[in-house]
């Protein structure tokens, strides 16, 4: 019973729920501010994403005549809940370890697919042609980047499992504990192809400029989000903020969980890693690149990240 | 001191802007893009953000004299913007038709069809004037929230 309460608290308060939401929105604020400074602008206040969410709460929700109302209004809720649960699965070294019943890499992989699927369903339920274009682009992009992600996860799981004398382990706690004992995978040459593949994967998954093809506002007018307004649009913003925390947290847990013992130290180190991953992998990439076409992105993912991921899996199994 | 007025004050710090070109010559549109994009006039400071979809918008900037051909499209787009919303007419064309005023193809003044809250005259108006117009629109928007 206390077990279930702990899981519930993890989903609703820390590291999921309130904390993940606040942290994700704050990261977005820092991202926008830094982006503005790099373009020598003043930029919005750091709390701007919070203001946006509150503002959206005051707006009216409009449902297009062509939309399927139930699906249109309730799919984003599914995405938010999935991301809340996912945030509770990701361990933070020496601060938080998910309950053994839920802390599983495979579960996390499935949960990470849900926001993409939610966008696809929302886009097609809105009955808008732009939503339909967004749907097909999101689907193509997901097919392209989910493959490498699964292979990366398999490489990490097998490396950990073989190190621990078995074959493969998908427990996130074990993965973190193994790296704490034997050194992080980031410094393990065998894992470098997987690290590189993950660096290609996460900008695509959080949907920033070179890979924001499904929501490109200059081509398809934000695609699946085109018809959304008011509080329901806020749910999408919340979903993407949570997703950012989950994806970056997953990267840290898989490749670089090393942190000093003790809650404060562990948490500070985690914050620094999150900041570095965000500024280098998201802000800098977003500002320095133009948007790819969907066919370019598709070929790109099937070429480099997939190749790297397959290579890493092969190397891990052989070595 | 209720919670809702506080939230309303916070909400006014996030005006999202949508541009409607009602047959403008693009002069005002260039100035509007300048207002948003050039570091010197950065309106993201005010929390503004240009959005691609009319359904995300709070403040509408309309430029152009409303030609006969775009009238239906403009009216429909205006309907798509969820309440509460504020309309800013940019340039002299929405007020009087500007240099197009005696044309058979022009329906200006635009406020016969759409309620206009703020007029920013000029051909084209300076970015500072557009920013002042947006700031006024934010004050009006605060009343409507």
């Amino acid at each position: 019973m206390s077990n279930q309460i702990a899981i519930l608290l993890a989903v609703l308060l820390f590291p999921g729920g309130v904390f993940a939401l606040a942290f994700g929105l704050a990261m977005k604020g820092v991202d926008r501010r830094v982006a503005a400074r790099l373009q020598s602008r003043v930029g919005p206040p750091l709390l701007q994403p919070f203001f946006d969410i509150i503002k959206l709460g005051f707006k009216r929700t409009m449902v297009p005549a062509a939309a399927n109302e139930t699906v249109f209004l309730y799919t984003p809720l599914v995405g938010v809940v999935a991301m809340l649960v996912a945030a509770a699965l990701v361990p933070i070294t020496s601060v938080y370890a998910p309950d053994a019943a839920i802390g599983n890499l495979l579960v996390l992989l499935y949960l990470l697919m849900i926001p993409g699927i939610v966008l696809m369903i929302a886009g097609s339920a809105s009955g808008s042609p732009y939503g339909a274009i967004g749907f097909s682009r999101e689907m193509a992009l997901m097919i392209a980047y989910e493959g490498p992600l699964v292979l990366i996860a398999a490489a990490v799981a097998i490396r950990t499992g073989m190190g621990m004398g078995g074959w493969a382990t998908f427990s996130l706690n074990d993965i973190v504990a193994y790296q704490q004992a034997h050194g992080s995978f980031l410094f393990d040459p065998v894992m470098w192809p997987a690290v590189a593949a993950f660096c290609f994967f996460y900008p695509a998954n959080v949907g920033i400029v070179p890979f924001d093809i499904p929501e490109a506002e200059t081509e398809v007018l934000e695609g699946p989000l085109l018809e959304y307004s008011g509080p329901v649009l806020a749910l999408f913003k919340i979903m993407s903020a949570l997703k950012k925390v989950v994806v970056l947290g997953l990267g840290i847990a898989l490749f670089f969980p090393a942190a000093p013992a003790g809650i404060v130290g562990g948490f500070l180190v985690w914050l620094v890693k999150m900041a570095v991953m965000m500024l280098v992998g998201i802000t800098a990439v977003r500002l320095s690149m133009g948007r790819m076409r969907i066919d370019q992105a598709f070929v790109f993912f099937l070429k480099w990240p997939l190749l790297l991921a397959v290579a890493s899996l092969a190397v891990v199994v052989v070595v | 001191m209720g919670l809702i007025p506080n939230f309303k004050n916070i909400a006014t710090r996030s005006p999202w802007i949508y541009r409607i070109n009602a047959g403008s010559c693009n002069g005002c549109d260039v100035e509007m893009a300048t207002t948003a994009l050039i570091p010197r006039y950065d309106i993201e400071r005010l929390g503004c953000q240009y959005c691609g979809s009319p359904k995300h918008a709070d403040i509408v900037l309309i430029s152009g004299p409303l030609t006969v051909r775009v009238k239906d499209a403009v009216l429909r787009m205006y309907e798509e913007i969820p309440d509460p919303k504020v309309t800013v007419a940019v340039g002299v064309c929405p007020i009087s038709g500007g240099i197009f005023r005696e044309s058979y193809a022009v329906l200006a003044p635009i406020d016969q069809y759409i309620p206009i809250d703020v007029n920013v005259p000029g051909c084209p108006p300076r970015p500072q004037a557009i920013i002042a117009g947006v700031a006024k629109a934010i004050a009006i928007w605060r009343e409507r929230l």
Side-chain angles (χ1 to χ4, degrees):
Chain A
M1 191 61 205
S2 67
N3 217 351
Q4 286 157 7
I5 292 170
I7 293 178
L8 201 65
L9 282 180
V11 171
L12 293 178
L13 283 179
F14 179 89
V18 180
F19 170 76
L21 175 58
F23 189 69
L25 290 177
M27 271 208 302
K28 180 97 192 293
V30 173
D31 172 55
R32 278 178 69 177
R33 181 81 160 191
V34 171
R37 284 294 154 88
L38 289 177
Q39 295 170 339
S40 60
R41 290 187 286 127
V42 178
L46 281 176
L47 294 179
Q48 189 61 43
F50 294 91
F51 302 158
D52 292 347
I53 299 282
I54 290 172
K55 189 277 303 284
L56 286 171
F58 280 100
K59 297 287 280 185
R60 218 176 84 208
T61 300
M62 298 170 105
V63 182
N68 178 333
E69 191 170 338
T70 322
V71 179
F72 182 79
L73 292 179
Y74 294 104
T75 27
L77 218 52
V78 176
V80 170
V81 171
M83 281 299 101
L84 284 181
V85 176
L89 298 190
V90 181
I92 303 171
T93 319
S94 51
V95 178
Y96 170 77
D99 193 275
I102 58 169
N104 191 305
L105 187 52
L106 290 178
V107 180
L108 192 57
L109 290 188
Y110 281 112
L111 286 173
L112 265 184
M113 281 175 148
I114 289 181
I117 296 171
V118 161
L119 274 181
M120 280 155 52
I121 295 175
S124 58
S126 67
S128 145
Y130 294 108
I133 299 173
F135 173 98
S136 72
R137 289 180 171 193
E138 181 75 43
M139 191 158 61
L141 203 58
M142 265 182 83
I143 291 170
Y145 68 63
E146 287 295 338
L149 177 63
V150 171
L151 293 175
I152 295 165
V156 171
I158 291 173
R159 182 82 179 152
T160 314
M162 282 162 84
M164 292 170 76
W167 201 77
T169 173
F170 287 98
S171 157
L172 281 162
N173 284 337
D174 286 351
I175 290 171
V176 169
Y178 176 80
Q179 294 185 66
Q180 281 286 70
H182 297 87
S184 295
F185 287 150
L186 186 62
F187 305 114
D188 179 357
V190 175
M191 295 303 291
W192 283 348
V195 174
F198 190 84
C199 290
F200 286 122
F201 156 79
Y202 80 84
N205 199 357
V206 299
I208 51 137
V209 152
F211 309 115
D212 69 338
I213 311 156
E215 288 127 65
E217 76 274 6
T218 42
E219 305 164 25
V220 291
L221 311 176
E222 322 213 1
L225 302 184
L226 169 68
E227 296 289 345
Y228 281 94
S229 58
V232 192
L233 180 62
L235 283 181
F236 278 101
K237 303 279 173 200
I238 289 171
M239 180 178 88
S240 71
L242 290 172
K243 188 176 177 187
K244 208 177 268 180
V245 178
V246 173
V247 173
L248 297 191
L250 174 67
I252 293 171
L254 285 186
F255 296 113
F256 192 29
I263 286 185
V264 178
F267 188 67
L268 286 180
V269 168
W270 182 78
L271 278 186
V272 170
K273 287 176 195 160
M274 285 294 243
V276 169
M277 275 183 88
M278 191 200 73
L279 293 177
V280 175
I282 293 182
T283 313
V285 171
R286 172 166 95 83
L287 291 177
S288 53
M289 287 185 174
R291 188 179 298 119
M292 285 182 177
R293 285 198 317 265
I294 184 65
D295 57 320
Q296 290 170 329
F298 194 76
V299 169
F300 172 82
F301 270 100
L302 290 189
K303 218 185 260 172
W304 299 110
L306 191 64
L307 203 69
L308 285 167
V310 170
S312 82
L313 193 61
V315 172
V316 164
V317 171
V318 170
V319 176
Chain B
M1 201 60 192
L3 204 60
I4 294 293
N6 272 342
F7 274 157
K8 281 187 180 173
N9 280 336
I10 293 172
T12 49
R13 299 183 64 175
S14 159
W16 288 0
I17 293 180
Y18 185 69
R19 286 176 289 169
I20 299 180
N21 179 331
S24 151
C25 68
N26 270 331
C28 296
D29 298 273
V30 170
E31 293 302 320
M32 285 192 267
T34 308
T35 314
L37 298 177
I38 288 189
R40 190 161 174 175
Y41 307 117
D42 176 34
I43 53 164
E44 212 182 356
R45 286 175 298 166
L46 304 177
C48 295
Q49 203 178 347
Y50 275 111
C51 45
S53 158
K55 300 225 169 169
H56 303 178
D58 304 305
I59 293 179
V60 203
L61 303 180
I62 300 183
S63 60
L66 191 67
T67 54
V68 173
R69 221 164 229 277
V70 297
K71 185 190 136 203
D72 288 341
V74 167
L75 292 186
R76 206 179 132 201
M77 203 126 76
Y78 182 76
E79 291 300 315
E80 296 271 313
I81 298 162
D83 291 323
K85 61 188 164 194
V86 183
T87 330
V88 180
V90 176
V92 78
C93 291
I95 303 174
S96 67
I99 58 165
F100 308 110
R101 68 187 169 282
E102 269 147 26
S103 166
Y104 59 88
V106 152
L107 296 170
I110 214 168
D111 58 4
Q112 303 174 80
Y113 303 96
I114 291 174
I116 300 285
D117 298 299
V118 182
N119 274 313
V120 182
C123 187
R126 295 169 66 86
Q128 291 92 327
I130 298 178
I131 295 173
V134 169
K136 262 193 190 135
I138 293 173
I140 296 172
W141 186 44
R142 167 76 183 81
E143 301 303 313
R144 290 191 187 158
L145 272 174

